[in-house]
Amino acid sequence: MISPIVSVPKVGTSAGGPASGTAGLVDALEGGAVLLFPDLDFPLSAFERRFVERPFADGKAKNVNIRGEAATLKGAAGTAEEQAALRALLMRYRAFAEDLIRTRLPAYAGKVSLAGTSYRPFEVDQRKLSWRRDDTRLHVDAFPSNPIGEKRILRIFRNINPDGQPRRWRVGEDFGSMAEKFLPRLPGYSPLSARLLAALRITKARRSEYDHLMLHLHDALKQDKAYQAQAPQADVEFTPGQTWVTFSDLVMHGAMGGRYMLEQTAYLPVADQADPERSPQRILARKLGRALQ
Ligand SMILES: O=C(O)CCC(=O)C(=O)O
Ligand SMILES: [Fe+2]
């Protein structure tokens, strides 16, 4: 099964089908859907419009972002005034994402913790990246230095392109079908090397067996050219003004084109899902027939 795109009309419109209640949205999301909000408002001010006319990025990193309570701006370019305005824009987007969770996914409100917020001004395929960093290849997200453990990765994206250019994605097959093909190929987990990586501060916390499996899945997927070409998949376009939300640790995705996007990452404890059994953590454990270490 290919990940479905579930379009969610604005609250208060008559178009709301059965899936538009908040329980229905959580159910779709946890089942591996991408929720698409076609018409939420997030206007840019006259001053901010410059941020979609040219990239305000130092070009060293892929994106510009703010992180943590201090919301320190990283990777930005421009005058002090422009950088302050870009930081304020990212903080406003973070509040917008938080509000979206509070109103449309209230079961997760107070449970998610917000991580980085990014501004992505560059054309997706503009840069030649190593295969591991090449997000045009279908993958699930896994962060090498940032073990995720018993948390889920929930992401809120918005296309802010001013010229009508869509963000183009591919979405792939469901996590379970993918895992069945790839799990037998992955190397075994070593608790000893996980402790070593943490002691050497290569990882920020101990890499769990789940983290190990997800990193190797991410790499094995991206390296498999035949899978990339032939696996079940669908092209999706997110037009300017659209906002979309997905568990990017569960939904196979690749970014194929587009520029100027905002993105918020949030973490949700597996235990706070409506149904923890649908997490990649539990799906992998079931496929292996044992609890993960
Ligand atoms: O930039 C995008 O549209 C998504 C890229 C991606 O796969 C990611 O950030 O994990
Ligand atoms: Fe990704």
Side-chain angles (χ1 to χ4, degrees):
M1 191 197 80
I2 295 174
S3 299
I5 313 295
V6 174
S7 187
V8 188
K10 248 189 184 154
V11 184
T13 59
S14 57
S20 68
T22 60
L25 296 187
V26 163
D27 181 60
L29 206 52
E30 293 190 3
V34 177
L35 298 184
L36 170 63
F37 297 88
D39 50 12
L40 301 180
D41 295 320
F42 186 77
L44 300 190
S45 70
F47 187 89
E48 287 169 341
R49 253 169 251 143
R50 75 194 62 209
F51 301 128
V52 294
E53 282 160 2
R54 59 187 189 279
F56 282 74
D58 65 16
K60 285 185 207 123
K62 255 204 298 191
N63 307 314
V64 174
N65 62 68
I66 55 167
R67 223 174 260 279
E69 278 299 302
T72 316
L73 187 68
K74 295 225 172 88
T79 65
E81 185 193 14
E82 286 167 334
Q83 293 197 34
L86 182 53
R87 175 170 175 268
L89 171 65
L90 287 172
M91 288 172 70
R92 199 168 80 247
Y93 184 68
R94 182 165 73 181
F96 166 86
E98 207 166 18
D99 200 52
L100 177 56
I101 293 169
R102 194 175 47 75
T103 55
R104 309 311 300 268
L105 303 166
Y108 296 162
K111 316 274 191 197
V112 293
S113 53
L114 297 183
T117 316
S118 67
Y119 157 68
R120 305 184 176 203
F122 295 114
E123 176 63 42
V124 162
D125 53 9
Q126 188 167 297
R127 292 144 158 255
K128 279 261 174 293
L129 298 168
S130 68
W131 61 263
R132 187 175 274 128
R133 294 180 62 208
D134 181 0
D135 282 338
T136 68
R137 303 183 194 214
L138 286 167
H139 65 281
V140 282
D141 289 345
F143 310 131
S145 62
N146 208 356
I148 203 84
E150 280 284 295
K151 292 197 297 295
R152 302 294 314 281
I153 306 172
L154 182 66
R155 292 182 125 176
I156 298 108
F157 300 91
R158 184 178 176 93
N159 185 350
I160 55 167
N161 187 282
D163 307 315
Q165 197 185 344
R167 191 79 175 184
R168 292 190 295 109
W169 272 27
R170 286 191 286 165
V171 292
E173 65 182 331
D174 64 277
F175 187 90
S177 304
M178 175 279 287
E180 218 140 86
K181 293 171 196 154
F182 283 85
L183 265 182
R185 307 188 202 167
L186 305 185
Y189 174 66
S190 156
L192 183 65
S193 50
R195 276 203 297 276
L196 204 61
L197 289 174
L200 295 172
R201 308 259 159 101
I202 294 169
T203 54
K204 291 183 188 140
R206 189 186 70 100
R207 188 181 283 175
S208 66
E209 184 176 18
Y210 170 69
D211 292 309
H212 165 86
L213 292 171
M214 290 297 277
L215 277 177
H216 284 280
L217 274 177
H218 172 275
D219 288 3
L221 283 162
K222 283 189 172 179
Q223 279 188 288
D224 190 332
K225 288 219 170 82
Y227 181 83
Q228 291 292 328
Q230 286 147 27
Q233 55 189 279
D235 294 319
V236 193
E237 288 194 350
F238 302 105
T239 55
Q242 292 188 332
T243 306
W244 62 106
V245 180
T246 199
F247 280 114
S248 63
D249 52 1
L250 181 72
V251 172
M252 294 278 292
H253 62 282
M256 308 313 292
R259 65 187 300 187
Y260 297 116
M261 187 181 73
L262 298 174
E263 174 271 334
Q264 175 67 51
T265 299
Y267 298 134
L268 176 75
V270 170
D272 288 325
Q273 286 189 230
D275 183 4
E277 293 306 313
R278 299 169 95 187
S279 62
Q281 283 86 345
R282 301 296 174 271
I283 294 172
L284 289 176
R286 276 200 302 280
K287 300 270 177 213
L288 290 171
R290 60 171 174 80
L292 301 182
Q293 305 179 56

